[in-house]
Amino acid sequence: MAKRIDDLKVIGNKRLNNDFFILELFAGTNIADFKPGQFAQVRIDGSKETFLRRPVSIHDVDYENNTFKILIQIVGKGTKMLSGLAEGDLLNIIYPLGNWFTLPEKTEKVLLVGGGCGIAPLLFLARYFKFNGFIPDILLGFRNNARIIEFEEYSKIGNVFITTEDGSVGEKGYVTSHSVFSTQKYDRICCCGPETMMKALAAYSKNRNIICEVSLENLMACGIGACLCCIVDTVKGNICTCTDGPVFNVNDLKW
Amino acid sequence: MAKRIDDLKVIGNKRLNNDFFILELFAGTNIADFKPGQFAQVRIDGSKETFLRRPVSIHDVDYENNTFKILIQIVGKGTKMLSGLAEGDLLNIIYPLGNWFTLPEKTEKVLLVGGGCGIAPLLFLARYFKFNGFIPDILLGFRNNARIIEFEEYSKIGNVFITTEDGSVGEKGYVTSHSVFSTQKYDRICCCGPETMMKALAAYSKNRNIICEVSLENLMACGIGACLCCIVDTVKGNICTCTDGPVFNVNDLKW
Amino acid sequence: MVNLGFSIGDLHFKNPVLTASGTFGYGSEFDDFINVSRLGGIVLKGTTLEPREGNLYPRMAETPSGMLNAVGLQNKGIDYFEEHIYPRVINYDTNVIVNINGSYIEDYIALAERVNKLKKIRAIELNISCPNVKMGGMVFGTNLDSSREVTREVRSVYSGKLIVKLSPNVTNIVDFARVVEEEGADSVSLINTLLGMSVDVAKMKPSLSTVTGGLSGPAIKPVALRMVWQVANAVKIPVIGIGGIMSASDALEFILAGASAIQVGTASFIDPQSSVKILEGIESYLLLKGFSDITEITGFINRTT
Amino acid sequence: MVNLGFSIGDLHFKNPVLTASGTFGYGSEFDDFINVSRLGGIVLKGTTLEPREGNLYPRMAETPSGMLNAVGLQNKGIDYFEEHIYPRVINYDTNVIVNINGSYIEDYIALAERVNKLKKIRAIELNISCPNVKMGGMVFGTNLDSSREVTREVRSVYSGKLIVKLSPNVTNIVDFARVVEEEGADSVSLINTLLGMSVDVAKMKPSLSTVTGGLSGPAIKPVALRMVWQVANAVKIPVIGIGGIMSASDALEFILAGASAIQVGTASFIDPQSSVKILEGIESYLLLKGFSDITEITGFINRTT
Ligand SMILES: Cc1cc2nc3c(=O)[nH]c(=O)nc-3n(C[C@H](O)[C@H](O)[C@H](O)COP(=O)(O)OP(=O)(O)OC[C@H]3O[C@@H](n4cnc5c(N)ncnc54)[C@H](O)[C@@H]3O)c2cc1C
Ligand SMILES: Cc1cc2nc3c(=O)[nH]c(=O)nc-3n(C[C@H](O)[C@H](O)[C@H](O)COP(=O)(O)OP(=O)(O)OC[C@H]3O[C@@H](n4cnc5c(N)ncnc54)[C@H](O)[C@@H]3O)c2cc1C
Ligand SMILES: Cc1cc2nc3c(=O)[nH]c(=O)nc-3n(C[C@H](O)[C@H](O)[C@H](O)COP(=O)(O)O)c2cc1C
Ligand SMILES: Cc1cc2nc3c(=O)[nH]c(=O)nc-3n(C[C@H](O)[C@H](O)[C@H](O)COP(=O)(O)O)c2cc1C
Ligand code: FES
Ligand code: FES
């Protein structure tokens, strides 16, 4: 799957709440073949402090209209800049990068878990699973009401469960304490979110022999395997999150 | 005259031609007391390569509407950035800076000469002279037709003479070769433009005992006399263009 | 309320924000923008025994996140300073520090003796690191023996606080810090500019009249911070961090790495109010993090790593 | 048509644009973006005798117009290189240069002997300037005697072109260039990264697991350029300029200052096509200025100033 570098046109910038927004990009008629879990390296122009590109997951792909989306949480200078992009602006982007979540080989009950901006890759992943015959349950965790992003699209695909830390929506607490874990039995968990959350799910899964894949958000310089900055310590030694990941089976991680 | 640092609102950005544009800024009801020849240091945001502020002359002041204008020629990264400012944007600016052209003490025949972006301070200067009873002749030099900027406003104040290097408008050649120098006798010449032009006028003036003031465009870091980067070699030694200038009597320069 | 003060020996500074020599004139250039007396101290433009015209124009070039300068210590000399600048500058309610420079050791000694008589100047910064003069300056600051000698000689005639300003253009800055500490320096400040250069590609010639010049601004911050951290871990005297500090966060990097105070340099050109903003930002940070005294965070990273 | 070629001894490079070690992997990472064979040469990721895991995460921090890295020479060792990388990388129609590293002189010698047998590798870059390893690396490159010794020993066993990569973390880089030239180096490349540091103020700890790391990117360009200019005026062997080159204009600064060739480093992370764009930009510039051979502008500023 060839990597590309393109100036893609922004065709939409939708603000979800104070912290999150979605950019929709026109990918052209020869749109790339994306896999769920892959990411892109976007260039940040217009700030003296943002030298490097920023990695963002592929949030959703629309092969009919040749567009794809990225969902971004504003955390610093670069994401702030991106939030200011308007329809018609060009975004320089290297994509698609990295590996992807594996598709089950046999019938499996699948749970997708996302926290914070970690929900970004899950929409495309959910679609992909459904397309391949696996209807996933989807568990999303937010800090509070104000941080919630619309989950309508997810609901169209599978059952959606919500937690908020303050209990304002869904169950109160962290995703890891959601009742779904006691009422359901999953064969596979796919997860993206804060490291503590992923570690907790990894431990849970390992104890129960559940297949668990997580998507890591290590700091990256190049995103294409050239700098060796994004490494993660695995049973195979230090390997690159950007090429050997971002998706890892938790059994390979030294967690 | 106290210097200020303010975020001023852009209330207009008018493109004059490919290379020149005018920004109009709202200065608030306590608008500063500007003198012709003074300049401002504008901050350039949004480029990794523009670290320092950029000096620009005060082009025109409207005390009735509490606005002032800067006329800018796009020559590099910073001026390019500024050209993209839109109504409502804020511009961080330190002003008013430097000295100004001196007002004649007795009746004098005055010629203002500008070349390229050196015409910038002349509009406000012309207005100021007229207000004080001296109607100046105004000689403006441009490379060619495409570079000409509208000189209607100048024509309202005094006689305007034009040269273009290709003769497409006005007399052909450089300002220094304009016929006005053979037909008129001036007591004072105020000049801003390329160094070669100013040096030629300085020589002309010195030979004829004409008072000649020029506005220099030395590279500046601070604009407020703190860095000593903008010096010019004068009969008084190295002095700062930003505080002792930008306007100098040519007799003080070692030209 | 948080305590921001620090001391060099018995000389107290009300807060750790100073301004760097050559970037703050004699203070008055900034009167329209800030209340200079709010600062912990100001270091004046480099002074020499005799007046100096400095280098030829052009003396400045912009670089990525920084600038090169080749001012070359232009100043009116110590006589003029005593007569015209000293009487004015001491009206600020802050520590006023004179940055002294010479071509020969004798110059430094003579200058230190002169400043020693100015009762309201309670500290000098010995600049042995100026890269923009042919003689003296960095030549002293990049040679251990000369650094030792000039510090010793100045120490022997100067009774106020002696801050030695170190050059970053050396293999091991810690050696220099140790040597000047041994010779009685009360504090070290670092870094002066890195020796750099730029070429005007369109004109096919060097951007500066002197070809090389001193690099300052955010570009040099990582190098400055590394050196401050190294030095703070090697000497007992207070370390003053300098180099590319544009914001409170930048200043805090230095303080967390071990600097007792910082100097704001090139930032004052971009925003003449930066020094005061940095001061306010440091205070907010301490409040936010629940500290009541800046010394609680000085060198914090060295306690945990 | 303009001639862009240059030579190190009898080794010809079709153009002066190379890629810098550790920023271009083994070339294949860039196959999707550029035709690697268009480049004058590629310098591969630093190689050691034994496999190395490098430093702990985090190894990277962004800085103003630059970045810090603390990779620490992670690589699979020379055995793996010979078996898996060498056969692949020699398919590029360009000069492939191996960057060799060691903890002891013996390591460098052993590596050079191994590479000497790889007939399609016609040059090595001797890295005595890596700041990110505890032993070897910069320790060699910041000591004149060690630099001399390691160059001499490697020279005695290596018959291809020997490029020595110099460290900028020294007082006088010219001394180092002269010493390695004396010992038979065919070329010098400079600069490696400047030793820098950054602190995460929110977390109150160093940004890198190793505290200090190597600074690269546009921030270091003025320092790199100054050093290249100094060295080019002091040695007769070709000088390869490295440091913060992002554009053709940046590359031309180095060439005008005396570099025979340049290496593109960190720029490849921001734009994987930069090397080729720089190559094209250099060609356009020569055409525009009316030159027919790049050597007409190599060191141009030194002829006029
Ligand atoms: C493979 C991958 C996929 C990602 N997908 C998404 C996504 O879909 N949506 C989204 O909002 N975010 C995503 N992230 C995280 C995103 O890259 C960072 O939030 C972003 O780089 C921060 O940039 P900034 O300039 O706004 O913040 P900065 O001002 O640079 O820093 C603010 C904070 O963000 C952290 N940060 C900075 N750079 C990175 C980085 N490269 N990776 C992780 N953390 C960083 C800093 O440590 C700091 O705490 C992903 C990261 C990776 C590695
Ligand atoms: C007192 C003063 C008043 C000025 N008034 C005006 C004005 O009213 N309108 C206007 O268009 N320009 C004016 N200039 C010139 C203006 O400052 C420069 O054109 C501008 O700084 C270029 O910025 P840039 O980022 O676009 O160019 P850069 O990309 O920085 O450089 C492009 C070219 O411009 C030159 N340049 C860069 N900085 C300066 C500088 N500070 N001074 C002079 N040349 C520079 C460079 O040498 C280079 O050749 C004035 C300059 C001074 C000193
Ligand atoms: C224009 C300019 C002039 C300077 N003059 C002096 C000086 O006279 N004496 C001195 O010790 N340092 C001088 N410096 C160095 C600064 O004090 C400071 O050490 C350096 O700029 C690094 O800090 P910064 O990055 O915050 O500017 C000068 C720096 C600049 C930019
Ligand atoms: C992530 C990274 C890894 C590097 N690894 C090596 C290396 O293995 N060997 C080496 O000689 N230089 C290495 N370098 C230094 C570069 O080759 C180059 O000298 C330096 O980055 C300066 O150039 P730049 O500013 O263009 O990046 C590395 C640099 C970076 C940023
Ligand atoms: S980010 Fe460069 S190797 Fe992964
Ligand atoms: S620009 Fe700083 S003194 Fe004039």
Side-chain angles (χ1 to χ4, degrees):
Chain A
M1 201 169 353
K3 299 184 265 293
R4 309 174 176 201
I5 179 166
D6 280 325
D7 284 315
L8 297 186
K9 189 167 275 177
V10 175
I11 54 171
N13 180 349
K14 184 169 168 193
R15 195 64 171 242
L16 304 181
N17 56 39
N18 255 341
D19 300 303
F20 288 86
F21 62 97
I22 291 179
L23 289 181
E24 187 166 4
L25 303 168
F26 182 64
T29 46
N30 64 340
I31 185 168
D33 180 21
F34 294 96
K35 300 279 188 194
Q38 286 192 301
F39 68 101
Q41 280 274 76
V42 300
R43 185 153 177 172
I44 311 290
D45 283 321
S47 159
K48 299 187 211 337
E49 281 90 33
T50 50
F51 174 64
L52 300 167
R53 287 176 183 264
R54 298 294 189 260
V56 287
S57 305
I58 305 301
H59 174 54
D60 202 4
V61 183
D62 180 344
Y63 286 111
E64 241 151 74
N65 294 306
N66 295 316
T67 66
F68 68 95
K69 290 180 180 160
I70 54 183
L71 182 158
I72 300 172
Q73 177 177 15
I74 302 175
V75 298
K77 303 166 295 274
T79 46
K80 182 85 208 292
M81 267 292 313
L82 292 174
S83 73
L85 287 177
E87 226 180 290
D89 287 346
L90 294 179
L91 185 65
N92 186 275
I93 180 164
I94 303 178
Y95 70 104
L97 302 173
N99 71 353
W100 47 87
F101 288 97
T102 42
L103 208 57
E105 283 166 15
K106 51 175 180 46
T107 315
E108 282 182 10
K109 193 158 172 55
V110 179
L111 176 69
L112 314 185
V113 187
C117 77
I119 63 165
L122 300 190
L123 183 57
F124 183 40
L125 177 61
R127 253 190 235 300
Y128 183 79
F129 273 11
K130 184 172 179 188
F131 183 80
N132 285 282
F134 306 91
I135 298 189
D137 282 356
I138 303 160
L139 171 57
L140 306 174
F142 301 99
R143 196 166 307 162
N144 53 44
N145 213 343
R147 295 275 194 131
I148 287 232
I149 66 143
E150 49 173 25
F151 44 87
E152 226 180 58
E153 283 296 314
Y154 300 80
S155 309
K156 292 183 195 159
I157 301 169
N159 287 324
V160 173
F161 308 97
I162 304 286
T163 65
T164 48
E165 290 176 30
D166 64 356
S168 51
V169 184
E171 290 187 18
K172 178 172 172 159
Y174 295 108
V175 285
T176 41
S177 57
H178 195 276
S179 59
V180 80
F181 289 105
S182 40
T183 57
Q184 302 285 329
K185 221 180 139 295
Y186 294 102
D187 302 303
R188 175 183 297 264
I189 296 180
C190 300
C191 174
C192 185
E195 196 170 286
T196 42
M197 179 188 118
M198 294 196 290
K199 281 191 171 158
L201 286 173
Y204 174 90
S205 305
K206 280 187 186 173
N207 284 337
R208 288 164 186 78
N209 255 317
I210 298 171
I211 301 166
C212 181
E213 287 184 337
V214 296
S215 176
L216 300 188
E217 294 200 348
N218 282 13
L219 290 170
M220 293 182 178
C222 71
I224 58 172
C227 74
L228 308 189
C229 287
C230 63
I231 50 107
V232 50
D233 186 17
T234 69
V235 292
K236 300 170 203 154
N238 280 342
I239 60 178
C240 288
T241 305
C242 69
T243 48
D244 295 311
V247 179
F248 293 91
N249 187 304
V250 293
N251 293 327
D252 290 340
L253 299 175
K254 290 195 182 160
W255 279 2
Chain B
M1 201 173 347
K3 298 184 267 293
R4 311 173 174 201
I5 179 167
D6 279 325
D7 284 316
L8 297 186
K9 189 168 276 178
V10 175
I11 55 171
N13 179 349
K14 183 167 168 195
R15 195 62 172 245
L16 304 182
N17 56 39
N18 254 342
D19 300 303
F20 288 86
F21 63 97
I22 291 180
L23 289 181
E24 186 166 7
L25 303 167
F26 182 65
T29 47
N30 64 340
I31 186 167
D33 181 20
F34 294 96
K35 300 278 188 197
Q38 286 192 303
F39 68 101
Q41 280 273 76
V42 301
R43 184 152 178 173
I44 311 289
D45 283 320
S47 160
K48 298 185 209 345
E49 282 88 33
T50 51
F51 175 63
L52 300 167
R53 286 177 184 264
R54 297 292 188 265
V56 287
S57 305
I58 305 302
H59 174 55
D60 202 4
V61 184
D62 179 344
Y63 286 111
E64 240 151 72
N65 295 304
N66 295 316
T67 67
F68 68 96
K69 290 180 180 159
I70 53 183
L71 183 158
I72 300 171
Q73 177 177 16
I74 302 175
V75 298
K77 304 165 293 272
T79 46
K80 182 83 209 291
M81 268 290 314
L82 292 174
S83 72
L85 288 178
E87 224 181 292
D89 287 346
L90 293 178
L91 185 65
N92 186 274
I93 181 164
I94 303 178
Y95 69 105
L97 302 173
N99 72 353
W100 47 89
F101 288 97
T102 42
L103 208 57
E105 283 165 15
K106 51 174 182 40
T107 313
E108 282 182 12
K109 191 155 174 57
V110 179
L111 176 70
L112 314 186
V113 187
C117 78
I119 63 166
L122 300 190
L123 183 57
F124 184 39
L125 177 61
R127 255 190 233 302
Y128 182 79
F129 273 11
K130 183 172 182 187
F131 182 82
N132 286 283
F134 305 91
I135 297 191
D137 282 356
I138 304 160
L139 171 58
L140 305 175
F142 302 99
R143 194 163 311 159
N144 53 44
N145 213 344
R147 295 276 193 131
I148 288 232
I149 66 142
E150 49 173 25
F151 44 86
E152 225 180 60
E153 282 295 314
Y154 300 80
S155 308
K156 292 184 195 157
I157 301 169
N159 287 325
V160 174
F161 307 96
I162 305 287
T163 64
T164 49
E165 291 176 29
D166 63 355
S168 51
V169 183
E171 290 187 18
K172 179 173 173 162
Y174 295 108
V175 285
T176 41
S177 57
H178 195 276
S179 59
V180 82
F181 288 106
S182 40
T183 57
Q184 304 284 330
K185 223 182 136 296
Y186 295 103
D187 302 302
R188 176 183 294 264
I189 296 179
C190 300
C191 174
C192 185
E195 197 171 284
T196 42
M197 180 188 117
M198 295 195 290
K199 282 191 170 158
L201 285 173
Y204 174 89
S205 306
K206 280 188 187 172
N207 284 337
R208 289 163 184 78
N209 255 320
I210 299 171
I211 300 168
C212 180
E213 287 184 337
V214 296
S215 176
L216 301 187
E217 294 200 349
N218 281 13
L219 290 169
M220 294 183 177
C222 71
I224 58 173
C227 74
L228 308 189
C229 287
C230 63
I231 50 107
V232 51
D233 186 17
T234 69
V235 292
K236 301 170 203 156
N238 280 341
I239 60 178
C240 287
T241 305
C242 71
T243 47
D244 295 310
V247 179
F248 293 92
N249 186 305
V250 292
N251 293 328
D252 291 341
L253 299 175
K254 291 196 182 157
W255 280 3
Chain C
M1 266 296 292
V2 290
N3 175 29
L4 293 171
F6 84 102
S7 297
I8 298 179
D10 61 2
L11 181 60
H12 186 255
F13 293 73
K14 60 187 158 204
N15 65 61
V17 179
L18 285 64
T19 56
S21 179
T23 65
F24 204 69
Y26 298 102
S28 56
E29 292 82 353
F30 292 80
D31 284 340
D32 282 347
F33 304 107
I34 56 170
N35 176 358
V36 173
S37 295
R38 283 186 66 188
L39 300 173
I42 62 172
V43 185
L44 307 182
K45 173 75 203 140
T47 301
T48 52
L49 217 44
E50 305 295 332
R52 288 206 191 178
E53 284 292 311
N55 293 314
L56 293 179
Y57 182 86
R59 292 179 173 183
M60 190 274 282
E62 192 178 38
T63 66
S65 297
M67 65 176 277
L68 289 162
N69 89 79
V71 170
L73 293 175
Q74 177 176 339
N75 80 101
K76 295 193 169 143
I78 188 71
D79 290 344
Y80 184 92
F81 177 81
E82 275 184 5
E83 199 172 334
H84 299 282
I85 301 168
Y86 176 67
R88 205 182 63 201
V89 85
I90 57 175
N91 292 325
Y92 291 123
D93 176 23
T94 188
N95 289 312
V96 175
I97 298 167
V98 177
N99 177 277
I100 70 166
N101 299 269
S103 303
Y104 305 96
I105 288 212
E106 292 69 30
D107 300 343
Y108 283 102
I109 300 173
L111 257 175
E113 282 174 333
R114 291 285 291 271
V115 181
N116 206 33
K117 294 191 195 114
L118 305 175
K119 286 305 153 214
K120 298 270 177 93
I121 304 289
R122 301 201 43 211
I124 56 175
E125 186 175 59
L126 184 67
N127 182 10
I128 52 169
S129 43
C130 179
N132 294 324
V133 286
K134 286 218 184 71
M135 279 170 42
M138 205 175 94
V139 179
F140 284 103
T142 58
N143 178 297
L144 268 185
D145 293 333
S146 316
S147 295
R148 182 185 292 283
E149 202 185 337
V150 69
T151 309
R152 178 184 298 166
E153 296 295 332
V154 168
R155 176 73 296 174
S156 72
V157 301
Y158 187 69
S159 59
K161 298 304 164 220
L162 172 58
I163 305 166
V164 180
K165 185 161 181 181
L166 303 178
S167 171
N169 301 296
V170 296
T171 309
N172 188 353
I173 197 162
V174 166
D175 293 342
F176 290 81
R178 286 215 179 98
V179 156
V180 304
E181 180 181 42
E182 274 169 32
E183 296 302 334
D186 299 299
S187 171
V188 283
S189 60
L190 60 151
I191 59 175
N192 208 315
T193 52
L194 280 168
L195 193 60
M197 170 177 163
S198 113
V199 173
D200 186 325
V201 170
K203 299 197 185 119
M204 301 185 81
K205 60 179 201 183
S207 307
L208 300 176
S209 68
T210 47
V211 185
T212 63
L215 182 65
S216 64
I220 70 170
K221 190 184 66 173
V223 174
L225 194 57
R226 181 262 296 181
M227 291 184 167
V228 164
W229 176 73
Q230 290 177 319
V231 168
N233 281 311
V235 299
K236 293 197 186 61
I237 52 180
V239 174
I240 303 174
I242 321 169
I245 297 175
M246 304 288 287
S247 65
S249 172
D250 295 336
L252 287 160
E253 285 194 73
F254 282 85
I255 293 168
L256 291 166
S260 295
I262 57 95
Q263 291 179 14
V264 179
T266 306
S268 294
F269 303 160
I270 316 302
D271 180 355
Q273 300 175 323
S274 11
S275 50
V276 165
K277 287 180 185 164
I278 288 167
L279 172 56
E280 288 167 354
I282 294 174
E283 188 160 9
S284 308
Y285 176 89
L286 290 171
L287 285 169
L288 185 80
K289 291 266 181 189
F291 294 105
S292 59
D293 193 310
I294 185 130
T295 56
E296 293 170 47
I297 67 161
T298 311
F300 189 90
I301 67 159
N302 305 318
R303 303 178 205 161
T304 50
T305 47
Chain D
M1 265 295 293
V2 289
N3 176 29
L4 293 170
F6 84 101
S7 298
I8 299 180
D10 60 2
L11 181 60
H12 186 257
F13 293 73
K14 60 188 158 201
N15 65 61
V17 180
L18 284 65
T19 56
S21 180
T23 65
F24 203 70
Y26 298 102
S28 56
E29 292 82 353
F30 292 80
D31 284 340
D32 283 347
F33 304 107
I34 57 170
N35 176 359
V36 173
S37 294
R38 284 187 66 189
L39 300 173
I42 62 173
V43 185
L44 306 182
K45 172 77 202 137
T47 302
T48 52
L49 217 43
E50 304 295 331
R52 288 206 190 177
E53 284 291 311
N55 293 315
L56 294 179
Y57 183 87
R59 292 179 174 182
M60 190 274 281
E62 193 179 38
T63 65
S65 297
M67 66 176 277
L68 289 163
N69 88 81
V71 170
L73 293 175
Q74 176 176 341
N75 80 101
K76 296 195 167 140
I78 188 71
D79 290 345
Y80 184 92
F81 176 82
E82 275 183 5
E83 200 172 335
H84 299 283
I85 301 169
Y86 175 65
R88 208 182 61 202
V89 86
I90 56 175
N91 291 323
Y92 291 122
D93 176 24
T94 188
N95 290 313
V96 176
I97 299 167
V98 177
N99 177 277
I100 70 166
N101 301 268
S103 304
Y104 305 97
I105 288 212
E106 292 69 31
D107 300 343
Y108 283 102
I109 300 172
L111 257 174
E113 283 175 331
R114 292 285 292 272
V115 180
N116 206 35
K117 294 193 194 111
L118 304 175
K119 287 304 154 214
K120 298 272 177 91
I121 304 288
R122 300 198 44 209
I124 56 175
E125 186 175 60
L126 185 65
N127 182 9
I128 53 172
S129 43
C130 179
N132 294 323
V133 287
K134 286 217 184 70
M135 280 170 41
M138 205 175 90
V139 179
F140 284 101
T142 58
N143 178 297
L144 268 185
D145 294 333
S146 315
S147 295
R148 182 184 291 283
E149 201 186 339
V150 68
T151 308
R152 178 183 299 167
E153 296 295 331
V154 167
R155 177 73 294 173
S156 73
V157 300
Y158 187 69
S159 58
K161 298 304 164 219
L162 173 58
I163 305 164
V164 180
K165 185 162 181 180
L166 303 178
S167 172
N169 301 295
V170 297
T171 308
N172 187 353
I173 197 161
V174 166
D175 294 341
F176 289 82
R178 286 215 179 99
V179 156
V180 304
E181 179 180 43
E182 274 168 34
E183 295 302 333
D186 300 299
S187 171
V188 283
S189 59
L190 60 151
I191 59 176
N192 209 315
T193 52
L194 281 167
L195 194 59
M197 172 176 160
S198 116
V199 173
D200 186 325
V201 169
K203 299 197 185 118
M204 302 185 79
K205 60 178 202 185
S207 306
L208 301 175
S209 68
T210 46
V211 186
T212 63
L215 182 64
S216 64
I220 70 170
K221 190 185 65 175
V223 174
L225 195 58
R226 181 263 296 183
M227 291 183 167
V228 164
W229 177 73
Q230 290 177 318
V231 168
N233 282 311
V235 298
K236 292 196 187 64
I237 52 180
V239 175
I240 303 173
I242 321 170
I245 297 174
M246 303 290 285
S247 64
S249 172
D250 294 336
L252 287 160
E253 285 194 72
F254 282 85
I255 293 168
L256 292 166
S260 296
I262 57 95
Q263 292 180 14
V264 179
T266 307
S268 294
F269 302 160
I270 316 303
D271 180 355
Q273 299 173 322
S274 8
S275 50
V276 166
K277 287 181 185 163
I278 288 168
L279 171 57
E280 289 167 353
I282 293 175
E283 189 161 8
S284 309
Y285 176 88
L286 290 172
L287 286 169
L288 186 79
K289 290 267 181 189
F291 295 105
S292 59
D293 193 312
I294 184 127
T295 55
E296 293 169 47
I297 67 162
T298 310
F300 189 89
I301 68 160
N302 305 317
R303 301 176 208 162
T304 49
T305 47

